[in-house]
Structure formats: structure tokens, C-alpha cells
Amino acid sequence: MGRVSIKNVSRIFTKKEGNGVTEALRDVSFDVEDGEFICILGPSGCGKTTLLRIIAGLETQTSGEITLNGVPITGPDPKRGMVFQQYSLFPWRTVIDNVTFGLEMQGISKAEARKHAEKYIDLVGLEQFKNSYPYELSGGMQQRAAIARALANEPEVLLMDEPFGALDAQTRNILQDELLKIWEQKHITCIFVTHSVDEAVVLSDRILVMTTRPGRIKEIVPVDLPRPRRRTSPEVNSLRDRVLKLLEEERFKR
């Protein structure tokens, strides 16, 4: 089970100097169903990453509640795997040692952790590079390793913060396709933050479009298109135009 419920979540940051405050999120509410793929889009600075970090338990909301399967989220937990834009791999550990890290922290023996990790290394196509160090890998391969590390804990929810944002267009498209294959195979709930409308339309079941800061839900756009989606099809282009129009409206509010 991986059902996430966000109810009236707000986040206010207090500046270190002076009495100023920044309202990052205001009264955000939505539900994510078990096994659903959600993309979150919005203008820069609208609180997308802040919201994802609160769901991950890395930050705390000022008000409101977030639950996973009805249980309030109060901190980090292996049930919620996080993949960052910057790969966040330990440079002194090989691919397999990076993937086993979370398992070892849970008290699983090194031998069992390696056996378990190899399944996920194979899943992301890095079986020939399991003993390589991050500096020996391309950006796309490093991100595959980061995804394998998150999946190795067998989370109920996979949280992804612009994981392909630093990659070239071709590698990005390849990894989008690979991610969808993994998602369909593992039936995992996925919440994916992106700046790319194209990426959101190709990947998601629904697109959550956020307003300018303070971030609120402007509109939830269903993506009722069968997969795999042809990126240049009339249906995809029509949906892309609809989402772009929503974002353009927010640009003029600044």
C-alpha cells in the first residue's frame, strides 16, 4: 500500500535576521492513490521541492497533515524512498555499496544486503558496473544507481525531485522510459517533481499544477492517455498546450 494524503499543508519560513517570513506553501490538499504516478509542476520557487521534502519527512510543515496509509508522517522512513536531482552517491563507495547502504543501516547483514541490491542493480541495467565508482559513470548511470538505491529499500512511495533535470535530452528520454518500466513492474506509488511539461505529460497519471508562491494547487490535470505515449502525437500536444497555458497564467501574476 502506498496511499498518500495531504491535507491543508502550509509551510512558512522565518528569516534568520529580522522579523521577515516567507510563505512557501499555503493550504495544499490532494490525495495520491496506491500505485499512482503523479507529477508536480509549477513556477520556480512555488514550493514543489519543499512539499516533496515534507512528504519525505525531511522537513516539517507549519500546519496541516500528511499521512501514508492513514499514518501521519513525522520524519524520514524507508517506506518513502527519495531520489534527488544531484545523484547524492557516496564517491568512496562502489555502485553496489551505495545501493546496499540503506539496507545496512537497517541492520541487514552485508551479504544479504548485497544479494538484495544486485536485483535492483540488474533492474536499472547496471549489472556490469556494480563494482564501479561514481566518477567512472556517466550522469545517467549515476542516476540509475541512485534509483536502485531508493528501490532497494522496497519503499511504498518513490519521491523524485527533478531526477533527470541535469541530463541531456536523449539520456533524459531514455531514463523516462526506463522509469516507467520499473514503475509498471513494481506497482509503486510515485510522486515526481519536474519543471518539464513534456516530462509530466509523458510520465504521469495526473499533473498537479501549482501557483506562484505561496504554492497552492491551481489545477489537477488528468492524463487519460494510454502508455507508451508518443511525444509528438496530437493528444500529447493538446495536453501539453493546456498545461503550458496554466503555467503561463501564473507567470503573468508575478
Side-chain angles (χ1 to χ4, degrees):
M1 292 289 290
R3 189 175 190 277
V4 180
S5 182
I6 292 89
K7 299 295 184 186
N8 306 116
V9 166
S10 298
R11 180 67 167 101
I12 296 174
F13 292 97
T14 303
K15 295 181 180 179
K16 293 182 179 179
E17 297 181 2
N19 298 319
V21 298
T22 298
E23 188 179 12
L25 298 168
R26 179 188 293 173
D27 200 27
V28 174
S29 296
F30 62 92
D31 292 327
V32 184
E33 298 301 325
D34 182 36
E36 191 174 20
F37 199 124
I38 292 289
C39 278
I40 302 176
L41 270 174
S44 295
C46 73
K48 300 184 297 295
T49 293
T50 297
L51 177 59
L52 201 70
R53 288 177 62 85
I54 293 172
I55 298 172
L58 300 175
E59 292 190 23
T60 304
Q61 64 270 29
T62 304
S63 61
E65 184 180 58
I66 299 181
T67 60
L68 173 60
N69 301 323
V71 179
I73 291 172
T74 57
D77 190 286
K79 293 179 180 178
R80 283 162 278 121
M82 185 84 170
V83 179
F84 302 89
Q85 180 176 357
Q86 299 303 322
Y87 319 122
S88 303
L89 299 174
F90 298 123
W92 60 89
R93 296 177 72 119
T94 62
V95 167
I96 192 163
D97 288 336
N98 265 284
V99 176
T100 60
F101 178 77
L103 300 170
E104 293 170 10
M105 292 300 99
Q106 296 179 54
I108 298 174
S109 70
K110 188 168 184 178
E112 185 63 27
R114 288 179 67 89
K115 181 179 178 181
H116 187 74
E118 285 179 348
K119 295 189 300 182
Y120 291 94
I121 292 172
D122 292 349
L123 186 65
V124 300
L126 288 179
E127 58 274 9
Q128 296 181 19
F129 300 92
K130 66 181 181 180
N131 294 315
S132 299
Y133 288 90
Y135 74 88
E136 298 176 303
L137 307 176
S138 68
M141 293 166 73
Q142 289 186 58
Q143 197 58 296
R144 287 173 187 261
I147 293 170
R149 182 175 61 183
L151 291 173
N153 291 316
E154 298 189 341
E156 296 172 1
V157 180
L158 183 62
L159 306 170
M160 310 189 81
D161 187 12
E162 297 189 66
F164 308 143
L167 304 176
D168 64 87
Q170 182 179 8
T171 303
R172 186 171 187 155
N173 288 348
I174 291 170
L175 286 188
Q176 288 169 4
D177 293 339
E178 291 299 318
L179 175 62
L180 283 176
K181 291 178 183 177
I182 293 169
W183 170 73
E184 290 172 346
Q185 180 176 340
K186 303 300 293 182
H187 303 290
I188 189 173
T189 303
C190 188
I191 304 176
F192 189 108
V193 165
T194 180
H195 273 106
S196 169
V197 175
D198 288 357
E199 190 164 63
V201 172
V202 166
L203 292 177
S204 61
D205 294 313
R206 291 187 294 156
I207 301 171
L208 276 63
V209 181
M210 296 186 68
T211 66
T212 55
R213 191 171 61 225
R216 290 163 285 123
I217 301 299
K218 177 181 179 69
E219 189 169 328
I220 298 178
V221 180
V223 186
D224 296 323
L225 300 175
R227 295 183 178 91
R229 295 167 185 161
R230 188 160 56 89
R231 300 170 192 271
T232 57
S233 71
E235 296 82 5
V236 165
N237 285 332
S238 176
L239 191 57
R240 180 189 297 113
D241 289 344
R242 177 182 172 186
V243 175
L244 283 170
K245 183 178 179 181
L246 292 170
L247 293 173
E248 190 76 1
E249 292 170 358
E250 290 305 305
R251 184 169 71 88
F252 286 112
K253 289 181 181 179
R254 296 183 180 183

